[in-house]
Amino acid sequence: MKTLRLADREIQSPRPALIMGIVNATPDSFYGDSRGGADLALRLTDEGADIIDIGGESTRPGSSYVSEEEEIRRVIPVIEQIRKSSGVVISVDTRKKAVMEAAWNAGADIVNDISSLEDDAALAPFAADKGLPVILMHKRGIPSTMQNQTSYDDVLVQVSSYLTDRAQLAEKAGIARDKIIVDPGIGFGKGLAENKTLIWGCGSLCGGRYPVLMALSRKSCIGMMVGEEGGPSESEARLYGTLTADILAVLRGASLVRVHDVKACRASLDVLESFKDFTGGRE
């Protein structure tokens, strides 16, 4: 059973991890099937998503940032449409306080910030004031250049140290500890070996003080692991590889998984949960 406390309510899942379904209100996100609006969000909710994560600014390697006005134009109508028919928890993938404020006014619940509250100093106090959970992610540089910096002395120690520092700053800003989630930023300034190290060691990040979100879905490192380096992200092999990597991450300590394929993820987590109290005897 996983629980997450929001501003005015809690959500719980009977599965070993909460499922975050991806909706990209962008024209250039790397996986085409994730681009959509309220219809996609509601379908993912029906398939079992506990949280819908909406992004209006692509952060794939090589992408460029967009203005807050453009981000608001993309994201807010999607939230408003969802709220006409669903109370599903909504996370917004943004680095900007103005975007998050507009999203909160429209009904959003969680801040998912790839900059770990670094890019906009006003975002942390806003989240604290509204009681919003925050997701803090590790990356190096900006998306257009981040894959130029993939060498680390000890990636697990360095990523953990960065996230610990950012989480402590969030707490000092007034964000409650139980509303802080950390994300090692798979694929954001990391090579294959670094990504595998972070998947394997995810439960030890920040000494286990904060829930860990793993965002592995159909990423290029999954393509490399299944022998499709440089291949299409839409391939079935990346789906199967993602499911395996997500289960491994949950077994290693992840509390949330961010995915494109909610129905398949839910089924794999249901199987994992079914073994929770199994002792190996015959049924």
Side-chain angles (χ1 to χ4, degrees):
M1 178 73 71
K2 290 297 177 183
T3 302
L4 179 63
R5 188 167 67 89
L6 306 175
D8 56 358
R9 56 182 167 140
E10 286 187 346
I11 58 168
Q12 291 186 327
S13 171
R15 302 179 184 93
L18 293 165
I19 300 172
M20 177 182 283
I22 301 168
V23 174
N24 287 311
T26 57
D28 57 344
S29 295
F30 83 94
Y31 180 49
D33 287 356
S34 71
R35 301 174 201 156
D39 288 347
L40 174 59
L42 295 172
R43 175 172 66 79
L44 295 179
T45 301
D46 289 342
E47 290 179 359
D50 303 293
I51 302 165
I52 295 297
D53 188 52
I54 303 172
E57 178 178 72
S58 178
T59 53
R60 61 178 173 78
S63 63
S64 299
Y65 288 147
V66 300
S67 69
E68 64 184 33
E69 292 81 9
E70 177 63 16
E71 201 173 336
I72 289 170
R73 186 190 68 78
R74 294 174 177 180
V75 169
I76 302 310
V78 179
I79 298 173
E80 291 173 340
Q81 278 298 118
I82 294 170
R83 283 291 175 254
K84 288 180 180 179
S85 57
S86 175
V88 66
V89 175
I90 295 175
S91 168
V92 177
D93 186 349
T94 187
R95 306 170 294 113
K96 308 178 185 88
K97 184 259 186 179
V99 176
M100 194 62 222
E101 184 170 16
W104 177 78
N105 286 329
D109 304 283
I110 300 173
V111 180
N112 183 7
D113 182 3
I114 67 164
S115 82
S116 282
L117 305 175
E118 284 198 80
D119 285 0
D120 189 337
L123 185 51
F126 175 79
D129 180 60
K130 304 305 180 186
L132 302 177
V134 297
I135 300 168
L136 309 176
M137 194 195 81
H138 174 275
K139 66 177 178 64
R140 277 182 163 178
I142 59 176
S144 61
T145 61
M146 63 188 176
Q147 289 308 105
N148 298 331
Q149 307 176 67
T150 61
S151 296
Y152 297 77
D153 294 328
D154 187 324
V155 67
L156 189 59
V157 169
Q158 289 171 259
V159 170
S160 184
S161 176
Y162 170 84
L163 291 173
T164 297
D165 288 345
R166 299 311 302 170
Q168 289 175 347
L169 286 169
E171 288 191 52
K172 289 179 181 177
I175 298 170
R177 175 174 289 194
D178 66 353
K179 291 185 178 178
I180 296 172
I181 299 160
V182 296
D183 173 355
I186 297 298
F188 284 77
K190 289 102 177 169
L192 178 59
E194 289 76 22
N195 290 320
K196 290 171 71 174
T197 298
L198 290 167
I199 294 168
W200 188 257
C202 66
S204 68
L205 290 168
C206 306
R209 289 187 293 276
Y210 308 100
V212 175
L213 167 71
M214 292 300 285
L216 305 168
S217 190
R218 295 181 179 264
K219 287 188 172 178
S220 60
C221 64
I222 301 296
M224 294 176 192
M225 291 182 213
V226 299
E228 292 193 351
E229 184 172 358
S233 61
E234 292 83 356
S235 70
E236 287 188 349
R238 285 204 189 186
L239 167 59
Y240 304 147
T242 295
L243 294 173
T244 303
D246 279 338
I247 290 298
L248 177 60
V250 172
L251 289 171
R252 299 294 296 175
S255 296
L256 304 93
V257 287
R258 182 177 182 270
V259 302
H260 299 98
D261 305 282
V262 168
K263 188 175 182 179
C265 177
R266 183 192 69 187
S268 63
L269 289 175
D270 283 343
V271 171
L272 181 59
E273 178 64 16
S274 76
F275 279 89
K276 181 179 66 173
D277 299 318
F278 186 66
T279 60
R282 294 182 179 179
E283 296 184 346

